Each structure stands twice: as C-alpha cells, then as structure tokens.
Amino acid sequence: MRIIVKCFAGCKDAVGAASVEVDLPAGTTVGEAFAELVDSYPGLASYDRSVMLAVNREYADRQSVLADGDELACIPPVSGGAESHPRR
C-alpha cells in the first residue's frame, strides 16, 4: 500500500521535504510506519518519543493500522517564539 507522509517543523528538516510517498505492506501500523521512516531518514530518530502522529488529520496511536491512501502526519513538539515587542 502507498501512504503520503506530511512532515512539519523539525521533522520536515530531517526528511528534507514537506511530504513523501511511502510504500508499506498491508496491515502496517502507525508505529511501524514511523520506524520505517526513521530507517530511511535517521534524523527523525530524535523525535521518536515526542512526535505526535496523525492519520487523515486525526491524532492516532501507534497501534492504529494504516490503509492504502492514508495521510500520516509527523508533528514534532514546538515551543514559543520571540516576543513581538521588546521589554522596556
């Protein structure tokens, strides 16, 4: 089966693209798919414990089974940015 993987923030940097298509065996779980991604893109390994994964725009646990044509999103944790006004 083929899925589309959407990558955000640091995951996008680790993969080098905002999205990639991945071929996986039928019955692959979200966790197994992420492990395959780490094999292909070792920079993703640092996000293994913190990344949120979503299937078709809904958060999913790693035991969820993927289907052909699904969209898997890899969403790393993010923190705040700079203040918009300097302190006085």
Side-chain angles (χ1 to χ4, degrees):
M1 71 178 170
R2 180 169 280 208
I3 65 167
I4 296 171
V5 180
K6 300 278 184 155
C7 302
F8 297 92
C11 290
K12 178 181 171 182
D13 295 339
V15 171
S19 68
V20 292
E21 290 188 17
V22 180
D23 290 315
L24 298 167
T28 299
T29 65
V30 169
E32 292 166 338
F34 188 75
E36 288 287 327
L37 288 167
V38 170
D39 286 345
S40 297
Y41 306 98
L44 287 175
S46 63
Y47 296 103
D48 186 43
R49 293 182 181 221
S50 60
V51 70
M52 295 295 297
L53 300 167
V55 177
N56 302 326
R57 299 183 182 197
E58 292 189 25
Y59 288 112
D61 63 40
R62 292 181 183 231
Q63 291 75 37
S64 297
V65 177
L66 294 163
D68 187 50
D70 277 350
E71 177 186 278
L72 175 65
C74 300
I75 308 162
V78 294
S79 61
E83 292 182 23
S84 59
H85 299 289
R87 293 182 188 218
R88 295 181 188 206

